[in-house]
């Protein structure tokens, strides 16, 4: 594959928008109408750079290992995120060969039993992908999002997309409100882009690098750190957590010892390099033609999230209502900046909840807020490495599993966890290892204090620049979102389905969703927090 084509391919990862207004749900839909998928935007190209061979594993560490007892579950989790394998990119690859939204179409299929559409029916849409020359695609693997919405009543629901492996897809929507509905299909990445993204994580899992400052007296040195580093044992400082077993390494300073490490910080993004042809053995998961039959987590109506998983979502529209719900409660928030966003929402919207100045970094925390009158305590702590935040004390880079073991718990304690975004550039095993560690700690906490409410935040799609595509692609997030759901399936935790709450909403996707979406997410959290108090009301 020539490098200019690769650059253009990377630059058009986000191309879409499709809209179709359909008639009232209690009238016949116009069948067999093919609607083109139009291009909405593209981004600037990536600078061509040199080629590189995949990094070799060392005997000291690995990006692909889990604890021995987790190997069986690891294989099952890999299978759960199986993605159709696109044909290898040839050396004479051209952009015209990729999926093009402008030449692709979708068709609303007739109601299976004929007649009018009714609330409770399933609407099916057949999507057919073509390349830039209008030729039908012969394989699957495109990343497609689908949504059904009605702007007039601020309603929306995410569709379930099934890949048939032959260039065609089916999107299925439940019909949940009366009136008009509009179908939107979004091409996030063509399958060729997914091939590039997969290779990036296999060949360059360390493209995001970290740094630590080592200091003793007037001598100071900065070295590179990561989950795994390519060096012999004697040239590395091993900061693997003794409690959780989470690996972390830094290159050993030339003049100082490992004990002099003071800080942790994100270093930056290394040059991105993609080999034109596979080098060594590359493992791709088999394609799947199975339809996704699970119902959506919920939908919006009049701008309010209505859960379909049995959760009674209450509306907390005043600071008084929120304070009454949290009265006498301890709320511990652990995770990345998408969890910190919830801490900021609460401290900004509750006049009585005062943030203590702990003299900690604004981005990293930890943070603490207290409402003495209502006996409310809210804390935030970011998860441990790899955390892509600014400089923080190394001794504050703590792992969630360790923190959970210090939580007393009980019926007045709520624990909220959100871990996903900072793991996107690593092989999936790094993320799986972290979540399994957290799950074990959650189970220990619930065994010790069964009344504790544990809430897990899922990933969410976001706006994609070229940098975000290379480091935080929605395909990476989608894979991690699936893994998270599988790992916590059967555990007594509640989910805030940020993925569907973002896709179903009319606002643009963002790593940090806008206020109306956050307000609905907080309502879900509070509904779980106050479930005992509200039961029977």
């Amino acid at each position: 594959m020539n490098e200019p084509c690769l650059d253009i391919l990377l630059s058009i990862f986000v191309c879409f928008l499709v809209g179709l207004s359909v008639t009232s749900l209690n009238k016949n839909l116009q069948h067999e109408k093919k609607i083109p998928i139009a291009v909405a935007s593209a981004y600037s190209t990536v600078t061509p750079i040199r080629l590189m061979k995949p990094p070799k594993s060392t005997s000291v560490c690995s990006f692909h290992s889990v604890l021995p007892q987790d190997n069986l579950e690891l294989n099952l989790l890999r299978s759960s995120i199986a993605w159709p394998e696109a044909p290898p990119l040839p050396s004479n690859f051209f952009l015209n060969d990729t999926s093009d939204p402008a030449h692709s179409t979708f068709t609303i299929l007739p109601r299976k039993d004929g007649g009018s559409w009714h609330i409770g029916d399933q609407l099916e849409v057949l999507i057919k992908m073509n390349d830039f020359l209008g030729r039908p695609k012969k394989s699957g693997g495109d990343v497609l999002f689908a949504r059904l919405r009605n702007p007039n009543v601020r309603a929306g629901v995410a569709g379930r997309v099934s890949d048939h492996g032959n260039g065609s897809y089916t999107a299925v929507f439940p019909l949940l409100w009366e009136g008009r509905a509009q179908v939107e299909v979004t091409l996030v990445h063509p399958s060729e882009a997914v091939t590039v993204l997969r290779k990036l994580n296999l060949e360059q899992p360390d493209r995001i690098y970290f740094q630590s400052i080592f200091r003793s007296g007037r001598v100071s040195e900065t070295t590179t750190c990561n989950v795994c580093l390519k060096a012999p044992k004697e040239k590395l400082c091993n900061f693997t957590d003794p409690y959780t077993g989470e690996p972390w390494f830094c290159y050993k300073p030339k003049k100082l010892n490992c004990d002099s490490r003071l800080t942790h910080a994100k270093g930056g993004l290394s040059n991105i390099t993609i080999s034109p042809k596979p080098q060594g053995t590359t493992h791709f998961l088999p394609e799947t033609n199975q339809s996704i039959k699970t119902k959506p987590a919920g939908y919006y109506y009049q701008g309010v999230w209505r859960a379909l998983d049995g959760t009674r979502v209450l509306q907390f529209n005043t600071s008084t209502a929120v304070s009454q719900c949290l009265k006498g409660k301890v709320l511990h928030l652990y995770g990345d900046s998408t969890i910190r966003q919830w801490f900021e929402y609460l401290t900004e919207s509750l006049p009585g909840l005062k943030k203590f100045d702990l003299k900690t970094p604004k981005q990293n925390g930890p943070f603490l807020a207290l409402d003495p009158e209502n006996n409310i305590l809210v804390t935030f702590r970011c998860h441990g490495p790899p955390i892509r935040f600014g400089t923080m004390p190394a001794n504050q880079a703590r792992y969630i599993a360790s923190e959970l073991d210090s939580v007393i718990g009980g019926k007045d304690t709520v624990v909220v966890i959100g871990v996903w975004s900072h793991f996107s550039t690593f092989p999936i095993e790094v993320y799986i290892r972290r979540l399994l560690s957290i799950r074990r700690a959650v189970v220990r906490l619930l065994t010790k204090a069964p009344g504790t409410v544990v809430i897990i935040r899922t990933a969410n799609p976001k706006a994609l620049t070229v940098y975000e595509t290379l480091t935080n692609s929605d395909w990476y997030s989608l894979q991690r979102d699936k893994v998270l759901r599988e790992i916590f399936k059967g555990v007594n935790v509640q989910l805030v389905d940020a993925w569907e709450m973002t896709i179903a909403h009319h606002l643009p996707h963002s790593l940090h969703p806008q206020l109306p979406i956050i307000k609905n997410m907080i309502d879900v959290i509070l509904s779980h927090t106050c479930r005992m108090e509200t039961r029977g009301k």
Side-chain angles (χ1 to χ4, degrees):
M1 180 173 61
N2 59 56
E3 290 181 0
C5 284
L6 169 61
D7 300 331
I8 297 172
L9 174 61
L10 291 173
S11 73
I12 62 164
F13 274 159
V14 183
C15 359
F16 49 97
L17 172 68
V18 177
L20 170 67
S21 294
V22 298
T23 55
S24 175
L25 297 184
N26 56 8
K27 297 180 181 179
N28 288 327
L29 287 168
Q30 185 175 0
H31 304 313
E32 303 302 329
K33 183 177 181 181
K34 296 184 177 180
I35 309 297
I37 302 179
V39 176
S41 61
Y43 294 102
S44 59
T45 60
V46 180
T47 304
I49 41 187
R50 61 187 175 85
L51 303 176
M52 178 184 287
K53 292 182 179 180
K56 295 180 180 179
S57 299
T58 70
S59 59
V60 177
C61 57
S62 170
F63 284 103
H64 302 279
S65 64
V66 296
L67 295 177
Q69 62 266 32
D70 295 328
N71 281 325
L72 176 60
E73 186 167 7
L74 172 63
N75 291 331
L76 294 174
L77 290 168
R78 284 172 174 160
S79 297
S80 74
I81 57 171
W83 197 265
E85 180 181 351
L89 300 181
S91 57
N92 61 343
F93 170 79
F94 291 100
L95 177 65
N96 286 340
D97 299 326
T98 68
S99 303
D100 176 26
H103 285 90
S104 302
T105 63
F106 69 74
T107 304
I108 296 175
L109 301 180
R111 188 171 181 268
K112 290 184 177 180
D113 297 329
S116 300
W117 297 95
H118 301 282
I119 292 176
D121 287 344
Q122 295 276 346
L123 177 68
E124 292 191 23
V125 173
L126 178 63
I127 305 163
K128 292 188 176 181
M129 302 302 297
N130 299 315
D131 64 19
F132 276 76
L133 298 180
R135 298 170 301 191
K137 294 296 291 289
K138 301 298 185 182
S139 60
D142 295 316
V143 182
L144 296 166
F145 295 164
R147 173 174 66 178
L148 190 70
R149 61 186 290 250
N150 182 334
N152 295 330
V153 294
R154 294 179 295 157
V157 64
R160 295 293 194 268
V161 178
S162 178
D163 187 341
H164 302 301
N166 58 5
S168 67
Y169 304 77
T170 300
V172 180
F173 309 89
L175 302 183
L176 298 166
W177 60 84
E178 184 179 357
R180 298 181 63 84
Q182 183 181 40
V183 175
E184 290 182 1
V185 178
T186 299
L187 172 63
V188 181
H189 296 317
S191 60
E192 295 81 5
V194 173
T195 299
V196 174
L197 292 172
R198 252 195 301 215
K199 286 172 66 63
L200 270 177
N201 273 16
L202 286 171
E203 297 180 3
Q204 297 181 69
D206 55 354
R207 63 189 181 277
I208 290 286
Y209 64 93
F210 303 84
Q211 293 179 326
S212 279
I213 295 174
F214 295 76
R215 184 179 297 139
S216 179
R218 295 184 179 181
V219 180
S220 178
E221 295 183 62
T222 300
T223 72
T224 297
C225 308
N226 218 314
V227 172
C228 185
L229 295 171
K230 294 172 286 181
K233 182 177 181 180
E234 60 271 16
K235 292 187 178 182
L236 295 176
C237 290
N238 187 346
F239 296 112
T240 297
D241 184 67
Y243 189 79
T244 63
E246 290 289 346
W248 194 254
F249 297 86
C250 296
Y251 288 119
K252 188 175 291 185
K254 295 180 180 179
K255 299 179 180 180
L256 301 174
N257 60 42
C258 295
D259 294 336
S260 59
R261 178 178 178 236
L262 294 181
T263 66
H264 166 85
K266 175 189 173 183
L269 175 65
S270 302
N271 286 339
I272 301 300
T273 62
I274 299 294
S275 57
K277 296 180 181 179
Q279 300 187 26
T281 301
T282 302
H283 297 283
F284 292 113
L285 294 169
E287 67 180 46
T288 174
N289 295 322
Q290 295 180 352
S291 299
I292 303 175
K293 299 179 181 180
T294 54
K295 67 180 181 181
Y299 66 103
Y300 289 104
Y301 189 76
Q302 298 297 347
V304 173
W305 182 252
R306 298 184 176 185
L308 294 173
D309 62 358
T311 301
R312 180 188 176 196
V313 181
L314 304 173
Q315 296 301 297
F316 299 84
N317 296 325
T318 66
S319 60
T320 300
V322 176
S323 296
Q324 281 299 114
C325 173
L326 293 176
K327 189 171 185 176
K329 298 284 194 301
V330 176
L331 180 60
H332 294 301
L333 307 175
Y334 301 102
D336 53 32
S337 60
T338 62
I339 293 292
R340 187 188 66 219
Q341 187 180 16
W342 292 353
F343 179 90
E344 294 165 349
Y345 176 92
L346 291 172
T347 54
E348 291 170 4
S349 60
L350 298 180
L353 187 63
K354 303 298 183 183
K355 182 180 175 182
F356 276 40
D357 185 2
L358 299 178
K359 309 299 181 184
T360 54
K362 183 177 181 181
Q363 186 182 35
N364 309 330
F367 303 132
L368 182 149
L370 182 65
D371 179 348
E373 181 179 346
N374 291 298
N375 192 25
I376 301 171
L377 173 65
V378 182
T379 69
F380 166 80
R381 179 174 287 279
C382 67
H383 65 73
I387 187 80
R388 300 198 297 256
F389 283 171
T391 302
M392 62 190 296
N395 62 6
Q396 290 298 316
R398 302 178 186 175
Y399 295 92
I400 292 177
S402 300
E403 294 297 303
L404 289 179
D405 283 337
S406 67
V407 173
I408 297 174
K411 64 181 182 64
D412 292 324
T413 299
V414 181
V415 171
V416 181
I417 301 168
V419 179
W420 58 281
S421 180
H422 296 243
F423 289 80
S424 55
T425 59
F426 298 99
I428 196 66
E429 291 85 353
V430 175
Y431 187 58
I432 289 172
R433 181 172 57 212
R434 181 62 53 88
L435 287 191
L436 290 176
S437 174
I438 292 173
R439 185 184 66 183
R440 281 188 278 266
V442 167
V443 171
R444 289 194 296 268
L445 174 60
L446 293 175
T447 301
K448 174 180 66 177
T452 308
V453 176
V454 179
I455 299 172
I456 308 292
R457 185 200 194 278
T458 74
N460 62 263
K462 64 196 72 64
L464 294 179
T465 62
V466 171
Y467 174 85
E468 286 291 334
T469 297
L470 294 171
T471 62
N472 218 3
S473 154
D474 279 349
W475 183 73
Y476 291 146
S477 301
L478 178 61
Q479 296 293 84
R480 280 140 192 81
D481 183 72
K482 291 179 179 179
V483 162
L484 180 144
R485 294 169 192 267
E486 285 296 320
I487 286 179
F488 284 97
K489 186 182 295 183
V491 183
N492 186 23
V493 300
Q494 310 299 326
L495 287 184
V496 174
D497 202 318
W499 190 269
E500 290 198 18
M501 294 182 79
T502 301
I503 288 183
H505 205 278
H506 67 86
L507 286 171
H509 296 172
S510 174
L511 174 63
H512 302 106
Q514 295 185 39
L515 189 60
I517 301 176
I518 293 299
K519 196 273 179 184
N520 276 287
M521 291 178 177
I522 293 294
D523 282 343
V524 174
I525 293 173
L526 296 176
S527 296
H528 290 303
T529 300
C530 305
R531 59 188 177 185
M532 299 301 295
E533 290 86 343
T534 58
R535 189 170 294 170
K537 288 186 179 181

